[in-house]
């Protein structure tokens, strides 16, 4: 019992500290992703065609819609078998932006989504568009990038959830200074 | 001991997914024969044609399998829509290819729909598999 209380108290303390550390303060929260089988499955299945975007980018309603429409997934067939479907769906829902506190750039994107919106494209969220509006189209359509959804082409640490400016390197351009 | 465990795990894996790749291909052959009594085996030549022929795909753009997997299955490919790199399809350079029935089924289903906008028939699936495995 004592252990449980200690654990809860510690969790609450960490929660409070991290909550107050959020926002525009310089001190960044490291991204602490869920690890384990479900996370690995998500990476192999969804990551086969594109970067496995951190689930924290979008709210539960977006992931629910995403999973309901896999046969028409951005005009591609991305259907899964039943067991994989269930594992991935549960993983996405428990890590969605409104399922737990999220920090940093992922959190900023998630918070820029209005309550009445259910975006499927992270690239159509308000904060994402604001942050990418100055990038010339030619740098996006070039063959080294191809799509604005190809995070890793420029965000060299995107797969680790690090979208910081110092980790940006745009092919045929170089570092990006805001 | 470790090796035995690996073999056991492998066996359990293949059983759970309905047998080996050869079993799967035999299964396809039986289906093909049922659908077309004059069927007399899969053809790598027909498979090659399936791989290279162009169609208006699911995204409304004219594509073939080669659009992403390149004209030479020994070469690494790239998803032309997302930019994601794809490992070579040819088992001669990528021995992991075509060893997992579950994976084979999944990608045949998806990719036929993406390029041909329909499921492949048993004959077509066997033909393309034969072409891929002979590369």
């Amino acid at each position: 019992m004592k252990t449980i209380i200690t654990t809860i108290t510690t969790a609450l303390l960490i929660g409070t500290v991290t909550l107050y550390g959020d926002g525009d303060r310089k001190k960044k929260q490291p991204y602490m992703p869920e690890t384990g089988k479900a996370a690995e499955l998500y990476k192999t299945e969804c990551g086969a065609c594109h970067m496995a975007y951190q689930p924290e980018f979008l709210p539960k309603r977006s992931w629910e819609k995403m999973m309901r429409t896999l046969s028409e997934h951005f005009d591609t067939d991305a259907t899964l078998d039943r067991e994989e479907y269930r594992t991935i769906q549960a993983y996405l829902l428990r890590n969605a932006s409104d399922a737990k506190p999220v920090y940093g750039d992922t959190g900023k994107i998630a918070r820029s989504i209005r309550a009445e919106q259910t975006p499927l494209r992270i690239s159509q969220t308000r904060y994402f568009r604001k942050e990418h509006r100055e990038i010339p189209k030619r740098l996006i359509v070039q063959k080294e990038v191809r799509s604005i959804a190809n995070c890793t082409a420029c965000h060299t640490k995107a797969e680790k959830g690090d979208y910081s400016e110092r980790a940006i390197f745009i092919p045929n351009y170089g570092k990006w200074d805001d | 001991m470790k090796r035995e465990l690996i073999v056991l795990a492998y066996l359990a894996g293949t059983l759970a997914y309905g047998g080996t790749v050869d079993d799967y291909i035999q299964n396809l052959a039986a289906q093909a024969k049922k659908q077309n009594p004059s069927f007399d085996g899969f053809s790598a030549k027909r498979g090659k044609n399936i791989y290279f022929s162009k169609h208006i795909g699911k995204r409304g753009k004219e594509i073939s399998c080669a659009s992403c997997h390149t004209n030479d299955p020994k070469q690494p490919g790239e998803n032309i829509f997302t930019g994601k790199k794809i490992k070579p399809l040819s088992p001669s350079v990528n021995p992991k290819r075509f060893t997992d029935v579950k994976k084979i089924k999944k990608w045949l289903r998806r990719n036929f729909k993406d390029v041909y906008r329909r499921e492949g028939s048993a004959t077509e699936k066997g033909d393309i598999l034969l072409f891929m495995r002979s590369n």
Side-chain angles (χ1 to χ4, degrees), chain B residues 77-127:
Chain B
E78 187 185 312
N79 184 315
I80 55 164
F81 299 111
T82 67
K84 183 92 187 180
K85 302 279 178 280
I86 306 171
K87 286 177 187 147
L89 278 179
S90 168
S92 65
V93 292
N94 184 4
K96 275 192 187 159
R97 284 291 188 200
F98 308 105
T99 54
D100 178 346
V101 175
K102 202 173 155 191
K103 210 169 165 178
I104 294 171
K105 284 182 177 172
K106 180 174 72 194
W107 286 106
L108 283 176
R109 180 183 76 229
R110 288 178 176 178
N111 288 355
F112 261 106
K113 283 190 176 164
D114 285 342
V115 180
Y116 285 73
R117 300 171 77 168
R118 60 168 174 81
E119 287 253 9
S121 69
T123 312
E124 287 172 324
K125 286 176 180 172
D127 288 345

Side-chain angles (χ1 to χ4, degrees), chain A residues 45 47-51 71-81 84 143 145-147 150 159, chain B residues 17 57-61 78-86 102-103 106-107 109-111 113-114:
Chain A
E45 288 304 318
C49 298
H50 53 72
M51 190 192 97
S71 63
E72 300 290 332
H73 187 68
F74 304 102
D75 292 324
T76 297
D77 189 295
T79 49
L80 293 162
D81 79 20
E84 288 166 347
K143 70 173 185 348
V145 180
R146 286 195 190 267
S147 158
N150 187 4
E159 278 175 342
Chain B
Y17 302 136
K58 211 169 157 75
R59 285 208 174 202
K61 194 182 156 165
E78 187 185 312
N79 184 315
I80 55 164
F81 299 111
T82 67
K84 183 92 187 180
K85 302 279 178 280
I86 306 171
K102 202 173 155 191
K103 210 169 165 178
K106 180 174 72 194
W107 286 106
R109 180 183 76 229
R110 288 178 176 178
N111 288 355
K113 283 190 176 164
D114 285 342

Side-chain angles (χ1 to χ4, degrees), chain A residues 12-28:
Chain A
L12 282 174
L13 268 173
I14 293 170
T16 318
V17 170
T18 46
L19 210 61
Y20 282 99
D22 189 26
D24 284 326
R25 290 239 223 108
K26 283 283 167 227
K27 212 172 170 190
K28 291 255 168 73

Side-chain angles (χ1 to χ4, degrees), chain A residues 36-48:
Chain A
K37 271 190 178 168
E40 285 308 312
L41 185 69
Y42 174 63
K43 268 182 208 144
T44 37
E45 288 304 318
C46 306

